[in-house]
Amino acid sequence: MQREDEFHIAVLAGDGIGEEIMAAGIAVLEAARSRTGGFSLAFDHLPGGAGLYRDTGEALSAQNYRRAGEADAILFGAMGLPDVRYADGTEPAPQLDLRFGYELYAGVRPVRAYPGAPLALADARAADIDLVIIRESTEGLFASRGKGIVEDDALARDTMVITRSVCERLFDFAFDLARRRRQRGRPGRVTCVDKSNVFASMAFFRKIFDERAARFPDIAADHHYVDATALDLVRKPWEFDVLVMENMYGDILSDLAAALVGGMGMAASADIGDAHGLFQPAHGSAPDIAGKGVANPLAMILSAAMMLEWLGHRHDARACRDAAVAIEDAVAGALAGGGALPRDLGGSADTAAVTRAVLDRLA
Ligand code: ATP
């Protein structure tokens, strides 16, 4: 029988730099765990990804899909290879299958300026950037994945789907997150990003947002059109706290926002549902640098910290939450120290050196 403080983690390293960054992530998780004590982690390594699809015709077996669902959390590296495609040109993407299958509706993408990491904006206030994009991850325009239609080589159609049941849970998640962030000194505000002036689906999205906002009177709620949000993410991103949006808008704006604070190598992410959580850096498998030992492992390491934070919150396990904070502090310390800046952030440290710098601060 599983002890309350032992968590089973399904690990899918995936393709490209996946193995390299996953090794870093697991080393850091183990170091944080032995520092705080109070819980243990059992890792179940599962094959999956575009390479597996190329070799076996399956990107993730049904058995391993089930095993991932039985774990307490799923930790993902990176998936996809440029030359491996289904017949219709789309990519094998087990992470999307898991997101849809396990109803991981809340895609959480923190965007935070770490001292020492390069900022895209010269304005001194860019050092205060600390926002979270919540990207709905099971419907929206991505509901059309695999169902788009091309008629007579003359017309193509994809359809946006917004449902009340997903939106209600998504907005509650966003307000709850804003409330927890406020305890850490953030403003406590959720911005609904939409295009309600044009699309019925987006007007519906905003209407449900307003309904749920009324249930969180202590948290400020406002709206912003998606195009204006793109502008303001460049003009004054330090003014945002939590932003919640449809799947495709979140796909685009979270990459834009990542560029503000160092790029994809810093972009941690989590896909959360009511019963499951999947944690994965937002970047791809970076085949151009795979196997060279130079990938930035920080997005992976910070995603692993998000996993501990989520497990700690879900299971009321204080030690897990403490370990998550210890990892974030160690990353901040490693970057501020200056000696371990990875190459994509303008430094010269390779994967091993960056990982060592984080581990040193956890020791
Ligand atoms: P996907 O479509 O799967 O998200 P992508 O085509 O957007 O992938 P990525 O794999 O994210 O591409 O890589 C984009 C660029 O960013 C590449 O040049 C890659 O080398 C670089 N990159 C991505 N992740 C990292 C990382 N962790 N460390 C260093 N460079 C990275």
Side-chain angles (χ1 to χ4, degrees):
M1 199 175 108
Q2 182 182 317
R3 292 203 321 272
E4 203 174 304
D5 59 354
E6 180 177 87
F7 298 111
H8 289 254
I9 313 298
V11 176
L12 290 104
D15 304 303
I17 59 171
E19 290 285 354
E20 302 159 52
I21 58 171
M22 183 60 80
I26 288 182
V28 168
L29 279 172
E30 286 291 8
R33 188 201 59 76
S34 64
R35 178 187 163 124
T36 58
F39 67 99
S40 63
L41 298 171
F43 297 104
D44 185 15
H45 293 264
L46 305 175
L52 187 71
Y53 173 75
R54 184 190 51 211
D55 299 342
T56 68
E58 238 178 3
L60 179 65
S61 70
Q63 188 197 0
N64 287 336
Y65 174 90
R66 259 199 319 279
R67 268 167 75 169
E70 284 159 10
D72 292 302
I74 306 167
L75 194 60
F76 244 68
M79 301 265 165
L81 292 171
D83 54 339
V84 180
R85 292 282 184 270
Y86 292 132
D88 68 355
T90 62
E91 288 181 61
Q95 69 274 32
L96 295 187
D97 298 331
L98 288 160
R99 265 183 215 165
F100 280 74
Y102 287 123
E103 298 185 43
L104 309 177
Y105 53 84
V108 185
R109 310 275 175 93
V111 179
R112 179 178 154 195
Y114 282 91
L119 299 172
L121 304 176
D123 192 305
R125 288 171 293 179
D128 299 331
I129 295 172
D130 183 353
L131 61 90
V132 180
I133 288 179
I134 301 180
R135 162 192 180 182
E136 197 292 313
S137 296
T138 58
E139 50 183 36
L141 196 51
F142 276 66
S144 199
R145 175 176 172 248
K147 300 180 194 144
I149 293 168
V150 181
E151 291 173 9
D152 300 330
D153 206 27
L155 176 153
R157 189 176 284 126
D158 283 299
T159 305
M160 169 98 83
V161 176
I162 301 291
T163 66
R164 169 174 285 281
S165 84
V166 166
C167 284
E168 287 181 350
R169 287 179 287 159
L170 178 78
F171 296 138
D172 288 355
F173 182 95
F175 282 104
D176 187 53
L177 179 66
R179 189 179 271 165
R180 277 190 280 137
R181 279 166 57 83
R182 199 178 49 177
Q183 287 163 7
R184 300 203 330 256
R186 298 299 299 153
R189 189 174 71 252
V190 182
T191 302
C192 175
V193 176
D194 61 47
K195 194 73 183 168
S196 58
N197 50 339
V198 176
F199 299 111
S201 56
M202 291 288 89
F204 183 56
F205 189 79
R206 181 181 285 208
K207 171 175 170 280
I208 301 169
F209 175 82
D210 289 342
E211 288 172 16
R212 302 315 279 192
R215 298 177 173 227
F216 296 84
D218 54 319
I219 301 297
D222 58 15
H223 317 102
H224 221 38
Y225 294 132
V226 62
D227 44 341
T229 306
L231 183 76
D232 283 341
L233 276 171
V234 175
R235 267 200 326 191
K236 45 181 183 178
W238 44 84
E239 290 191 0
F240 289 116
D241 185 9
V242 175
L243 302 99
V244 62
M245 63 197 75
E246 175 283 316
N247 206 338
M248 183 72 171
Y249 297 165
D251 187 33
I252 298 167
L253 291 187
S254 59
D255 272 26
L256 184 157
L260 298 171
V261 294
M264 298 312 288
M266 294 297 293
S269 118
D271 295 315
I272 310 275
D274 294 335
H276 303 272
L278 184 155
F279 302 82
Q280 175 189 25
H283 58 70
S285 63
D288 51 331
I289 55 166
K292 297 181 179 161
V294 297
N296 178 355
L298 293 177
M300 180 78 242
I301 289 169
L302 290 169
S303 302
M306 290 176 80
M307 181 185 81
L308 291 182
E309 156 67 24
W310 178 75
L311 284 169
H313 183 64
R314 183 174 172 77
H315 298 276
D316 198 18
R318 177 74 196 265
C320 255
R321 296 202 301 273
D322 289 347
V325 172
I327 292 177
E328 281 172 20
D329 289 350
V331 167
L335 286 169
L341 204 60
R343 296 183 189 199
D344 59 318
L345 301 189
S348 58
D350 60 11
T351 311
V354 178
T355 308
R356 209 174 318 111
V358 176
L359 291 173
D360 285 349
R361 281 166 177 80
L362 283 169

